[in-house]
Structure formats: C-alpha cells, structure tokens
Amino acid sequence: MSLATGKGLPKDAGKFGMCTSIPGAHYLLATMTGALPLAPSNALQLGLGICVPEACRPGDVPLILNSTIGLEIIPDLQTLTIANVHASDPIDGLAAPSLRCWLSVAVLASLMLISVLSTAFAHVSASRHQDGSAFYCWCNLPSSAFSLIGRNGTLTKLVEQPPPKPTDSLNGLRVLAMAWIILGHSFLMPEGVSGYSNPQDITSSILNKDSAENNPMLMLIIQAEQSVDTFFFLSGFLLSHLMLKELSNRGPNPVLAVLLRYFRLTPSLALVMLVYYGIVPYLASGPFAVILQDSIFRRCDGSWWSELTYTMNFIPFDSDKVCMGWTWYLGDDMIFFVLGCVLVPIYHRKKALGWWLLLCLSGLSMGVTAWLIARYHLSPYVFDSHYTEYSYYAYSKPYTRAPAYFVGISAAWLLGTLEEKGLTRESQPHRRHPLAATAVAILSAAVLCLVVFIPATDFGASKNSWNDFESILLLDFGRVAWALSWAAITILCYYGSLNGKQQLQSYESQKLRFAAPLCRELRLFALDEFFFGTPGMDTPCSADLWCLPAASPCCLDRHFSLLQCFHCWIWNMETSWLCNNEVIKLAAGTSVQYYTFSGMAMAPAT
C-alpha cells in the first residue's frame, strides 16, 4: 500500500490502479493546505492519493496523515503545518447512474440508430435510381438530414470542395484561432479538475524563482484567449458582409434571421449538453472521478436551462457556475448577432446613423470595461485572485467583449464603401500601392505580437506590477487593437495583397465550425481516463504531461518530451475535426485528456 500512496508534494495522486488491485486496500484522495512553521501565511494547496485498508473512510484521513505511520510514509509532511484536510472516495463516493443518465443514453442511441438507418436508406435509394431522382424528392428530406452519404450527407459535405469565395482566407484564420484556443485550454484547464503536480515550476514562489512564468514564451499559452476576439471579429464581419448583400437584393427579415440562427445552433448545443451532463459524469473512473462529478453536477443542476436560452452569461452571473463554462462565447455571440441584425439595416438606409450608433455602443462598452478594471483592480495576471475577479466581473460579459464584434461589422462596412468607390477585387488596387499594403501587414503583425507578449511584463519577477491604467490598455484597448489588426489583414487578403495568407483556405479548415469547439471542451473536461486507462498506465496524454516546466513554454518535464506534448495537442486537433461528423461527434467527445496531479513513475509513452 505504501508504494501506491503518493509521496511527492505538493501534489501526487499516487497509483490508483495499483491500489485498487490490492486485495483489502482502498484508495482515497486527500486535499489540504500546508505551510512552513516560519511562513504560516504562505500556505500551499496540497493533494495526495493514499492507499489505506478498506476499513478506512474519508473521515479517517486527518488521523492517518498525522499518525506515526503516515509521517513515515510521507516524510515531507513532518516539516509542514497541515490544515483543512478533506478527503474524497473515488470508488464508493461516486453517484450511481440516475434516470437522467438512462434517458440521455436512450436519446443518444436513438439518434445514432436514426443516422445508421438514414444512411442505409440513402444507399439503397441511390443504388436503385442512378440519377438520384427518388432519393432527392421532398419526401426523403427527413432521412437525408441524418444520412452520412448522399447529396447532403455529412461525409459528403466533409470532403466537398466548395466554390472559391473572396472571403475564403477567413477559413484559415478560423483554423489558426481554434488551434490556439485548443492549445491554451489543453494546458490551462487541468487546474479546474485536478491541478498540476509541479505548480512550483509554473508560478514564481519562494520555492522556485526560475519558473515558467518568467519565460515570455509562456504568453503563447496564456494569451490564447485572444483567439476569442478573433472569432468575434469573424462573426461580425461575415454577418455584416453577407447581410449587406442580402439587403441590396431583397432584404432579410431580422426576426426570422434570429429564429433561424437559434434553431440552427441549439440542437448541437443541446446534444453536447445531453452527453456532458447526462452521461459523462457516470463514466468517471479514477482518482478524480468524484471531483469531476461534483464539478458538473453543482454547475448544471440549477443552470442547464440557461444554456438553451443563451443567457448563461447573466444566469448565473458567476462564470464559474455556468453549466458548460466554455459555451459563454455562444451567449455573447447570440446577443451580438441580434445587435448586428439591427445595426446593419440601419447602416444600409442611413450610413451616418449606422456609424454613429456603432461608435456609441463601442465607446459605451469600452467605458464600462475601463470602469470595471479600475473599480475592482483587474489585471491580466492569471495565477492569483486577479484572474478569478476578472473572470467574474468582465471576461465573459457581452458588455465588455462587444468591441471586437463591432470592429468586424465596421470592417465589412469599410469594404463595401471601397467597392462602391470602384476599388473592387477585379481592379486589383494592391498593385497600385504594394509597399503600402506590405507596411500595413507588417504593422498589423507587430500589433498582434505586442498584444501577445506585452503581458509578460506583469508576470514572473514583475508580477502584479501593472497599475489600472496599464491593465485598461491591454484588457480594453488591446482587444480593439487586436481586432483592428485582423481587420486590416482581412481586407488585404480580400484584395489579394497577401497571397501566402490566402493559401490557408484549405477545404479542411471550412469543416471546423460549430460542433468542433463544443466537442473539444467535452474532451478537455473529463474522459481520457475512461478510455486510455487510469493513472499509472502508459498513456500518451496523461500524468506529468500537464506539468509545465521551469523556464520553458512547452512540456519538457522529466517524464515527457516536446514531441509527446505536441502529439497530445495534435490529438485534440484531430478529434476536433472529426467532431463535425454527425455520428463520430457523438463518440469523439469522449476521447479526452484526463487531468491528474500525479507524480507517479511511469514508462515514457511512445
């Protein structure tokens, strides 16, 4: 049992698989705070997996840790003052499958069966009618909606090469933004479930001054959240660009547009929530299973309905209590879409009024954000309470994130004005001033790099050194500068000034749409532990993979190489792409990286 007990502080989950295979043994996960006697105010959060006789229960853990045997097994505890000891039982403490679980399984199985039957029907119909006339009649529309093959089949659309469009370069931008978000979430979200086994190598402390946060390259992970503003810009640009064309022809109905958008997005969102809330918690197995169940149930039990109404950024107000926290983007985007459906028709009729309203709303949003930052002293530093406060007051609220969306809307307006003045793609205006186009592209790239790396001056040895004004410049004006830079690059690509950038419009990139980010987070929150083994097994995406090393932005811990770290990131990307398949996305959501603060000895993954 001693060999299966975690001994390495601050966090070591031990060997769950070994402990559960020992007859008469029982695994418990203990969390506590520990401080040196000479520095009681600098308490650290500790976590240990302990293997005890099966007669022991969570309430016995404080006595065990303070006993002579416990101190001999875990000698590091002898030098610390232990307090706030809590223990969970990841075996007997798990909630059994409820009626909600079985109903969710039934719905999921029914959808998969419908998809299989629809695909078989499509195949039979196509084989009987070579011209496809019977298959494409209106009476077959219900089955074709779930079919994997046929003219509108998922697999057909997945590999279909659509005709080129002037905005194809945005597909590449979408892929880059999604890849960056996946990278950031892959490294940062383990803290939400289990934590890291080497926090002393991530954040600067008295234990380690040469930590990862002293390396500016860590900003490539921390600042991945800037990609969300990229998506807001893309949404605003495409809405405005396409709606202006519709208004020039026949004029869309804004109310109908909002309803169609709701009915287009909500089924996928509801399906992901069905799996995440109704099935995932009951598949949990491993040292953090109870923590996983609690993190889902305590959030979703009272607020699952706010997901379906896209009010999750207001009900509940605390973003940490949102059922599926990563869906906050959808709530903001829906609100911005409604605003766009009002602003764009106004601009189409009276351009000056449209610009005035857009600038007023943008100024109001930036003013509110600046007030919140100054009022609550918010800052970009993520390794203390500043991040919690920023997340609570400002990060996901639509009234603080709107400017990037409005920049997208205004970029489409500017593009339309240029075309009205004769600067069309056919006229190739970039050939008239190639140096100016290059200068704008370089300036935009410089601004993007500045926004990414400038927060490094508030990390490491200089952490929390920024005042409110500097935080406002980054968290408020920095987001606008980020969106403006992408607006400039987008317009240059539209006119063909950046041919290299335009090569990013591969057909695969167009498949990473709505379902991929939904399924991505379903993977990131829970389930690799169920399908790739329990801690202690030889798995490529587990254990110390999540140990961010000292003075390195990548995973270069003693157990894992950069290649293995890159492999797990690629796994995230591959399964995100697969999630767009109507059947595969139901299963790919279960292929995830599990989070562990294990300090176990394990063989290097191959």
Side-chain angles (χ1 to χ4, degrees), residues 174 235 238-239 242 256-271 308 310 329-330 333-334 337 405 510 512-515 518 580 582 585:
R174 181 187 295 121
S235 296
L238 292 174
L239 167 69
L242 297 176
L256 181 60
V258 172
L259 289 176
L260 290 176
R261 179 180 177 82
Y262 178 85
F263 288 114
R264 178 173 65 87
L265 300 184
T266 306
S268 295
L269 176 62
L271 180 60
L308 304 180
Y310 298 93
Y329 170 87
L330 297 178
D333 196 60
M334 181 64 75
F337 182 84
Y405 195 92
Q510 301 186 46
L512 291 171
R513 293 174 182 166
F514 178 66
L518 289 176
N580 287 273
E582 302 304 324
K585 71 183 178 185

Side-chain angles (χ1 to χ4, degrees), residues 17-184:
M18 177 186 292
C19 182
T20 54
S21 64
I22 299 175
H26 195 68
Y27 182 94
L28 296 174
L29 185 66
T31 60
M32 69 208 83
T33 58
L36 294 171
L38 298 179
S41 60
N42 295 325
L44 296 176
Q45 186 68 33
L46 309 178
L48 290 172
I50 58 176
C51 191
V52 296
E54 61 182 353
C56 297
R57 289 295 175 259
D60 302 323
V61 170
L63 296 177
I64 295 174
L65 294 178
N66 288 292
S67 66
T68 302
I69 297 178
L71 295 176
E72 289 180 355
I73 295 176
I74 312 170
D76 289 343
L77 292 179
Q78 300 178 21
T79 61
L80 299 175
T81 301
I82 303 300
N84 302 318
V85 180
H86 301 281
S88 61
D89 186 341
I91 299 176
D92 297 334
L94 286 175
S98 63
L99 178 61
R100 178 177 62 240
C101 174
W102 298 120
L103 290 176
S104 300
V105 171
V107 171
L108 187 61
S110 299
L111 290 174
M112 297 180 69
L113 179 61
I114 292 173
S115 181
V116 171
L117 294 177
S118 298
T119 302
F121 178 76
H123 176 72
V124 172
S125 298
S127 62
R128 290 182 177 178
H129 303 83
Q130 296 298 327
D131 58 357
S133 57
F135 178 68
Y136 297 129
C137 74
W138 67 269
C139 58
N140 293 323
L141 285 179
S143 62
S144 65
F146 290 91
S147 175
L148 301 180
I149 61 175
R151 184 174 62 180
N152 296 317
T154 301
L155 294 179
T156 303
K157 293 296 182 180
L158 199 62
V159 298
E160 182 180 75
Q161 179 66 53
K165 299 182 293 295
T167 57
D168 276 344
S169 60
L170 298 182
N171 295 320
L173 179 55
R174 181 187 295 121
V175 170
L176 292 177
M178 183 172 292
W180 198 14
I181 290 177
I182 291 174
L183 174 66

